Amino acid sequence: RPVLVTDLEGNWESYRVFTAPFNWRLESADRLEFNINQEGERLVEPFEISDGVVIPPGSYHFQRYRLEWAAAPQRPVSGQITWWFGPFYDGSLDQIILRLIWKPMALFNIELTGERNIGDLPQGEFTQDLFGLRLNLNFSPDLVLNSFVQYDHESQSVGTNTRLRWTFSPVGDLFVVYNYNMQRPFDRWLRDSNQLQVKLQYALRY
């Protein structure tokens, strides 16, 4: 699965060749997968990947690997464990991603996510943590409410996204989206942004 990104002048900016030499899916629908990714990035200016860790401009080519195990989604409790590892720019990066889904009833489920990035570069070391909580409530096939909360340990920020979708006709949808973000720069939480969006989508057929 190749991906190539170029700028407006046709110069390459990044590429990725995703391969899955091993993908074992059991009759229970549990899955075990191993991937090899050949990646490249061309930086035209310094890239601060973490506080005080700046990657200089240049062309970088590296090969990364992934191990992933996923439990069958039809179970009341399911989940997924992902481990990305290997070279990253001029150093290395380990990414551990956990996902747990609980379905107490058919119309409601809770999803917990966690991610830890551990980088070791010539410019310095860094650790980043992300935690998330997602609630999905399906009142009916036509009325769905989703809410997602994420905490970023490095930036000391919390972001929320809540979306209501109402399909009031076969050709019409109403979306109500509310975003709220907070940061903690001085040992106390401050509001960073607050946004409410309403979108009406309707198709005219003639």
Side-chain angles (χ1 to χ4, degrees):
R1 189 190 305 165
V3 176
L4 175 65
V5 178
T6 65
D7 60 19
L8 296 178
E9 298 178 353
N11 300 313
W12 76 276
E13 292 185 338
S14 66
Y15 69 84
R16 181 183 187 189
V17 181
F18 177 88
T19 62
F22 180 81
N23 192 340
W24 188 17
R25 194 177 298 269
L26 305 178
E27 292 184 0
S28 62
D30 294 337
R31 178 176 56 84
L32 179 63
E33 184 174 348
F34 174 67
N35 305 118
I36 301 175
N37 273 19
Q38 183 65 44
E39 302 182 25
E41 294 284 346
R42 185 173 66 89
L43 302 179
V44 296
E45 58 184 31
F47 172 41
E48 186 175 18
I49 193 170
S50 183
D51 289 340
V53 181
V54 181
I55 301 175
S59 296
Y60 299 87
H61 309 272
F62 44 91
Q63 187 166 280
R64 293 185 52 72
Y65 308 91
R66 179 176 76 167
L67 278 173
E68 184 172 84
W69 176 83
Q74 68 267 21
R75 293 194 176 109
V77 178
S78 61
Q80 182 173 295
I81 301 175
T82 303
W83 177 30
W84 282 99
F85 59 96
F88 184 72
Y89 291 95
D90 285 336
S92 64
L93 175 67
D94 287 282
Q95 296 173 281
I96 303 171
I97 305 170
L98 303 177
R99 182 182 176 207
L100 179 65
I101 303 173
W102 177 40
K103 302 175 182 176
M105 59 184 68
L107 303 179
F108 176 65
N109 64 73
I110 302 173
E111 179 180 340
L112 297 172
T113 59
E115 177 178 344
R116 165 159 280 201
N117 299 318
I118 306 172
D120 185 3
L121 302 175
Q123 296 78 21
E125 300 178 355
F126 64 91
T127 300
Q128 299 171 334
D129 294 314
L130 288 173
F131 304 97
L133 170 65
R134 186 186 301 275
L135 304 177
N136 299 311
L137 184 57
N138 303 311
F139 298 99
S140 71
D142 298 329
L143 186 61
V144 179
L145 177 66
N146 298 316
S147 183
F148 179 67
V149 181
Q150 181 174 271
Y151 172 68
D152 185 342
H153 176 264
E154 183 182 21
S155 63
Q156 293 286 294
S157 63
V158 174
T160 66
N161 172 265
T162 302
R163 187 182 73 162
L164 177 70
R165 179 184 63 82
W166 175 37
T167 302
F168 56 87
S169 78
V171 294
D173 292 281
L174 176 67
F175 297 90
V176 180
V177 181
Y178 178 64
N179 297 313
Y180 187 85
N181 298 293
M182 296 185 298
Q183 285 192 333
R184 192 182 180 186
F186 308 110
D187 293 330
R188 63 188 184 96
W189 290 104
L190 300 175
R191 186 178 67 180
D192 184 49
S193 63
N194 192 25
Q195 184 183 59
L196 177 66
Q197 296 178 323
V198 179
K199 176 183 176 182
L200 178 65
Q201 177 177 286
Y202 193 81
L204 297 176
R205 298 177 180 175
Y206 55 91

